Amino acid sequence: MSKNIERIITLLSTATLITAGSMAGHAQSECFTYEDENTKTTICGLTKAGQAKNELTIPQTVTAVKGGAFADASSSLNTLTVEDGGNPAFESGLFGKGTNTLTSINMGDAMSVANMTALLQSLGTLQEKTTIVASGFSGEKDTSDATWGTVTWDNVASITLPAELIADQTFGTAEVYGRFTISKEIVSFCTSATFMDKDTGSNMLFYVADYRADDGRLHIQRVKYIAAGKGVLIHRLDSSSGFCDLLRDGDINDNTVQAKNDKALYESNMLVGVTTATSIGATDGNKTNYVLKDGAFHPTNGGTIKANRAYLQIPTAAARGVSLEISFDDEETGIKSLTSCPSLNGGEWYDLQGCRVTQPTAKGLYINNGRKVSIR
């Protein structure tokens, strides 16, 4: 072999190594071709380097993804992720029929219902079963109709959606999980589907409330089924994690001891769940309404309960006009009334032991019309 030929082979090998190294080290934002190169807010396809990527993350700044963006040379794409905080609109026909390796879609923590649906409508062209996670929906931010009739679920192996979005509609043969996300230690909750907590490391516990005439107090009882349309309390155990995923169950319809126990507890449940924003008054017939705020139930003068929340109804004859705090000393501990005076019969001002006092002047915390008041 001549020296010139050896030199040419060496140069070609070096160039190949440099090119491969450059492709391997490209940034995520360089994986996409943009319709608007200045703002980089509309993705219209993949770059040559991006076509070889197994995982792609759509940047938070992207507001739109054009049809066919992943259709041509994305056969190596395994995972598509929308960056947390991103909420892009998707056109139809995102994936080509050659896209047969995409097995995971992560839809971030800020996707709207409309944009979720638009992305999922493209799944029918895939050939592999896909696992889908959509984590961050908040009913307070998006009131869109969460029906999925326009989506073909044949190519979905598992889907995890916010629990607020899942009703009893069909998802094909996919396993369906509801993601329960709470930002506080204690929240009230209500959803349109039934879920089963199988105790697989969940960092949340679920409770219903019932009145017991034997001691005149309100109690909470732990349940494993989160029944459709029923109010529950969620207690987050781990302050560092704000969600858990539970398997959707068609109904509390089996004959296990747990199912029978939970059915009985729901029959006497005093938490009233709502799936849409609902106006309530101070009373409802012979019952007094309480709302959850700052980890305690307080009598209300009326107002609106947000969607997917619950409020408490106590027989007016048993209501004492004071707030109820929630104690989780153990799994079966009841809700403790702030009152401990048997002779308490209502009124406006109470100390923290629940004893009625005249309008106080001494410094301290008091209950006035069901609310904590600090006298300084």
Side-chain angles (χ1 to χ4, degrees), residues 67-91:
F70 311 111
D72 295 329
S74 57
S75 59
S76 63
L77 182 60
N78 300 134
T79 302
L80 180 65
T81 299
V82 177
E83 186 178 24
D84 283 349
N87 184 29
F90 292 91
E91 289 188 358

Side-chain angles (χ1 to χ4, degrees), residues 267-305:
E267 288 177 1
S268 59
N269 184 25
M270 301 173 70
L271 291 165
V272 181
V274 299
T275 55
T276 58
T278 302
S279 296
I280 64 170
T283 60
D284 183 0
N286 63 351
K287 296 179 179 179
T288 296
N289 294 327
Y290 288 69
V291 294
L292 183 66
K293 183 178 181 181
D294 298 329
F297 277 103
H298 307 276
T300 178
N301 293 323
T304 300
I305 304 298

Side-chain angles (χ1 to χ4, degrees), residues 113-130:
V113 173
N115 289 343
M116 282 184 194
T117 306
L119 173 56
L120 296 176
Q121 283 171 336
S122 291
L123 297 177
T125 58
L126 300 180
Q127 297 177 19
E128 294 291 324
K129 292 288 187 180
T130 307

Side-chain angles (χ1 to χ4, degrees), residues 115-341:
N115 289 343
M116 282 184 194
T117 306
L119 173 56
L120 296 176
Q121 283 171 336
S122 291
L123 297 177
T125 58
L126 300 180
Q127 297 177 19
E128 294 291 324
K129 292 288 187 180
T130 307
T131 296
I132 301 164
V133 176
S135 61
F137 170 88
S138 170
E140 298 175 16
K141 300 177 182 177
D142 188 342
T143 57
S144 301
D145 183 9
T147 57
W148 309 96
T150 56
V151 178
T152 301
W153 302 101
D154 295 345
N155 297 320
V156 180
S158 173
I159 181 164
T160 300
L161 292 168
E164 302 98 310
L165 296 184
I166 300 177
D168 289 328
Q169 73 271 23
T170 301
F171 288 92
T173 59
E175 278 195 329
V176 180
Y177 292 87
R179 176 157 292 188
F180 290 77
T181 303
I182 67 174
S183 58
K184 300 177 181 179
E185 180 186 359
I186 304 169
V187 299
S188 66
F189 201 84
C190 178
T191 185
S192 298
T194 295
F195 296 89
M196 175 63 175
D197 179 2
K198 293 189 174 180
D199 252 349
T200 54
S202 169
N203 69 317
M204 297 183 190
L205 300 179
F206 298 82
Y207 298 86
V208 294
D210 69 287
Y211 173 70
R212 292 183 182 176
D214 57 349
D215 63 4
R217 295 175 63 194
L218 188 71
H219 291 252
I220 56 173
Q221 297 290 324
R222 187 180 173 193
V223 291
K224 297 293 185 70
Y225 285 91
I226 293 81
K230 303 296 185 180
V232 295
L233 289 178
I234 305 178
H235 179 216
R236 190 181 71 193
L237 302 177
D238 183 356
S239 60
S240 64
S241 180
F243 71 88
C244 71
D245 298 332
L246 303 185
L247 181 65
R248 186 182 72 166
D249 199 290
D251 196 0
I252 310 179
N253 56 7
D254 61 32
N255 294 317
T256 65
V257 173
Q258 183 68 55
K260 290 180 179 179
N261 179 67
D262 285 5
K263 282 182 178 180
L265 291 175
Y266 275 109
E267 288 177 1
S268 59
N269 184 25
M270 301 173 70
L271 291 165
V272 181
V274 299
T275 55
T276 58
T278 302
S279 296
I280 64 170
T283 60
D284 183 0
N286 63 351
K287 296 179 179 179
T288 296
N289 294 327
Y290 288 69
V291 294
L292 183 66
K293 183 178 181 181
D294 298 329
F297 277 103
H298 307 276
T300 178
N301 293 323
T304 300
I305 304 298
K306 294 179 180 179
N308 303 112
R309 296 290 186 266
Y311 61 100
L312 179 68
Q313 283 193 333
I314 298 177
T316 300
R320 301 187 177 187
V322 294
S323 299
L324 302 169
E325 67 175 354
I326 306 171
S327 174
F328 293 101
D329 295 334
D330 58 60
E331 291 183 357
E332 303 301 331
T333 300
I335 299 179
K336 302 186 301 185
S337 171
L338 290 179
T339 175
S340 59
C341 295

Side-chain angles (χ1 to χ4, degrees), residues 54-72:
N54 298 122
E55 299 180 5
L56 287 174
T57 298
I58 298 174
Q60 182 188 68
T61 53
V62 172
T63 58
V65 181
K66 306 291 285 187
F70 311 111
D72 295 329

